[in-house]
Amino acid sequence: MIRKYLTSVRRGLALTGLALVSWLDLLLVLVGFCLLCAGLVFAYTLALEGARPRAVLTRRLAGRWCGIDVESPYRPAPPEPERERDGWYREGNSLFKRSWFIKWTKRFEWISDDPATGRDLGWQLWNPFAGLLLVPAVLLTGPPALRLYGKWTRWWLGPRERRGGEGWLKRHLKALGFQLGLFGLSAAQLGMAVPTLLVLIGPAPLFPTLVVAGRTVTDTLRREAKNWTGVRIDRPYLPEPSFPVPRADGMYQHGRQLYDTPWWPARLARWRWAMRDRATWRDLAAALVNSVVLLLMALPTAALVFFGFQGVLALWVWRPIAQWTNTGWSTTHWFSMIGLPEATSHGQALALTPVAVAAFVAGLVATPWLARLGARFAKLLLGPTEASRLEQRVERLKQTRTDASVAQAAELRRIERDLHDGVQSRLVAMGMKLGAVEALIDSDPAAAKRLAADLRHTSSETLTELRLLVRGIHPPVLSERGLGDAVRAMALDSPLRASVNGVVPRLEQPAEACAYFAVSELLGNAAKHGEARRVSIELGYDDGLLRIEVTDDGKGGANAARGSGIRGIERRLGTFDGTFALTSPPGGPTKATMEIPCQLDPDVSSQRTSTSSGTD
């Protein structure tokens, strides 16, 4: 019995030492986050991955020493990038000669989007306190204290089932964290703005480089504002200048000056681009204004929450410890700042506890509203202007015009090939058989009848093939019933258990055809490559924008670099200045979101709409 007790004490001390290391891991994560704000994504990823071995070791020790098995909650790591046939690595519309950038980007998305990462960070913060409490607990009770610590570890580090919503306290604490995070990103943006302005006095050629580096931090603020508060802040920047092209005489021109090499024209074009873009100066102004405003928004709530939390700790943790050790150290002196006496007894502590709790709750009440308000204020200077929107759209249309021409030429060649190899060959054969019928009708009427029956069967097959070809060009149901009913008809023919929901009016026929074939490609990919069983299609149209979401329960891992289907969808949508977003983590689910700017069909007098439909 004594030996078991001593073993429990040794194990408790070891777990306490391991718990204290969690603060070092948390410090490294904070350093990695600061480097992330400066554009070093891999530093944050390394910090998060470097902290996981301590959590894994704690899970293993909890099962071995505490008798509580804790399973790993982490999502599977993303696969290695695959090289394409031409030797390049593709990520979206960008090509890379080496795979390290895509690899670290994928690993950053994988580890930052994993819910277990957030629980690990919370465990790193609170586990040292639990470890310090474990020492006296294990000295008093022995093995039961270890088992209780094992349950604590399983609650923090074990896998959890998804719940419908979050509690009030967790939701408002997260909102407070979002407030502080937005302020931290704006402060990092200010840190990048200062050297950017200083180089205008000194080495001006470095100005474009620092502008691009500062935009990395600003883009992080835009992305996190969307993830945290739902406020979308689009990038307002004008397109970067293209690389100089030599003239017929081999010289490079910039304005009225000619150069032998493209170095100076490229540098001057980038400097002029950075100086003329109004978003550059709006970012610099936002760095100062947002830092001050977001600090003023977050400071009162953070002060109230800190006051209330520290007040409860002082009343019921530090005060008893100070009285027990007879140090005479006062831990409730901040209550005197609001005119309240210090607590020297349990009765006074009980009377002051509602004050601390009220301050804590009052600080959290407005945090969601203040977080959204801060993001909306940041959008005033960081959002796009009408000029930048037009410039971006013109540049995008220039890029997609070539793709649209190539895709149209390929489609015409496909139709020509199908007609030549299919329908045309059958018509030629039918013509030859008609000649044989004409020759045999007098000499051998029975043989002529057999050939005529064969001709009738061949004509039926030719008509069926021709209908399929026409359907591939433009389905009749799409012209007659519209996009909503056409997608529902497609869902009925799909081998998956598909459900279609949404209200879509009659739209322009080219946009309807684009959306129809894009959905058809996604359904085919889900059944053929995703090994899905169910798929959900959401249709919606609002304010000139058609939005379609296709979600399946397949194995995930969809990648545009592995096939031409997703690229074809991107090219098809690019013709209409549409956007395509794909989320497909390993293990699923796969969610594809398409947005197509389009207008209502002016030729339809009475628009047909539908609500929902499904097939099982």
Side-chain angles (χ1 to χ4, degrees), residues 153-193:
T153 303
R154 183 174 60 184
W155 184 79
W156 269 106
L157 299 182
R160 298 183 184 179
E161 298 180 358
R162 294 183 179 179
R163 299 180 179 178
E166 297 177 343
W168 184 92
L169 181 61
K170 183 177 181 180
R171 185 172 65 254
H172 286 72
L173 283 175
K174 287 177 64 175
L176 177 60
F178 297 158
Q179 277 191 272
L180 298 176
L182 290 176
F183 166 70
L185 290 172
S186 63
Q189 185 188 10
L190 180 60
M192 293 296 300

Side-chain angles (χ1 to χ4, degrees), residues 198-490:
L198 291 179
V199 297
L200 289 176
I201 304 175
L206 294 178
F207 181 72
T209 303
L210 290 179
V211 166
V212 173
R215 288 179 177 182
T216 304
V217 181
T218 309
D219 287 339
T220 303
L221 193 153
R222 293 189 181 96
R223 182 180 65 251
E224 299 306 330
K226 174 65 169 61
N227 296 334
W228 293 343
T229 65
V231 178
R232 179 176 176 177
I233 307 177
D234 296 325
R235 298 182 87 245
Y237 308 120
L238 298 178
E240 295 189 19
S242 58
F243 196 76
V245 179
R247 292 159 32 106
D249 56 1
M251 302 291 288
Y252 295 88
Q253 181 179 358
H254 181 75
R256 297 182 179 180
Q257 186 68 32
L258 296 178
Y259 299 88
D260 295 330
T261 63
W263 190 85
W264 270 111
R267 298 293 298 179
L268 292 174
R270 286 184 62 81
W271 186 85
R272 184 181 180 184
W273 159 72
M275 292 289 293
R276 292 182 59 186
D277 194 348
R278 296 181 180 179
T280 300
W281 310 107
R282 288 163 61 91
D283 283 356
L284 297 177
L288 176 61
V289 176
N290 290 342
S291 299
V292 175
V293 174
L294 293 176
L295 176 62
L296 294 178
M297 287 184 177
L299 190 60
T301 56
L304 285 173
V305 172
F306 178 78
F307 177 86
F309 181 72
Q310 289 294 331
V312 173
L313 287 181
L315 291 172
W316 299 105
V317 178
W318 310 127
R319 182 188 57 82
I321 292 177
Q323 293 179 352
W324 180 55
T325 56
N326 200 19
T327 58
W329 175 42
S330 175
T331 58
T332 60
H333 57 278
W334 50 75
F335 284 98
S336 61
M337 294 187 300
I338 58 175
L340 296 176
E342 297 184 4
T344 58
S345 63
H346 291 297
Q348 292 176 332
L350 188 62
L352 290 177
T353 299
V355 177
V357 173
F360 183 82
V361 173
L364 291 179
V365 166
T367 50
W369 176 76
L370 288 175
R372 289 191 296 270
L373 183 63
R376 292 193 186 101
F377 182 84
K379 185 178 180 179
L380 295 178
L381 289 175
L382 298 180
T385 60
E386 190 63 27
S388 62
R389 289 183 187 274
L390 292 176
E391 289 284 350
Q392 289 176 339
R393 186 168 185 179
V394 169
E395 184 65 23
R396 178 174 174 82
L397 291 176
K398 288 181 180 178
Q399 294 175 356
T400 57
R401 181 177 57 188
T402 303
D403 292 339
S405 301
V406 173
Q408 184 179 14
E411 185 68 12
L412 290 176
R413 287 194 299 269
R414 182 188 69 82
I415 296 173
E416 180 186 6
R417 184 174 60 252
D418 291 344
L419 289 174
H420 181 274
D421 298 340
V423 177
Q424 180 178 337
S425 62
R426 290 180 181 272
L427 291 176
V428 171
M430 290 173 62
M432 297 175 64
K433 289 182 179 180
L434 283 173
V437 170
E438 184 179 3
L440 294 174
I441 192 169
D442 294 328
S443 60
D444 192 353
K449 289 182 180 180
R450 289 194 299 269
L451 284 177
D454 192 13
L455 276 172
R456 185 171 59 252
H457 179 68
T458 304
S459 65
S460 177
E461 291 181 348
T462 304
L463 182 60
T464 301
E465 184 176 349
L466 190 59
R467 286 174 177 173
L468 292 176
L469 180 61
V470 172
R471 183 178 179 183
I473 299 173
H474 193 84
V477 66
L478 190 61
S479 301
E480 298 171 0
R481 304 293 298 277
L483 179 63
D485 290 336
V487 171
R488 288 176 176 86
M490 184 197 310

Side-chain angles (χ1 to χ4, degrees), residues 55-72:
V56 173
L57 179 59
T58 303
R59 291 189 191 93
R60 187 166 62 249
L61 294 180
R64 185 184 305 173
W65 291 351
C66 306
I68 302 296
D69 294 330
V70 185
E71 298 179 1
S72 177

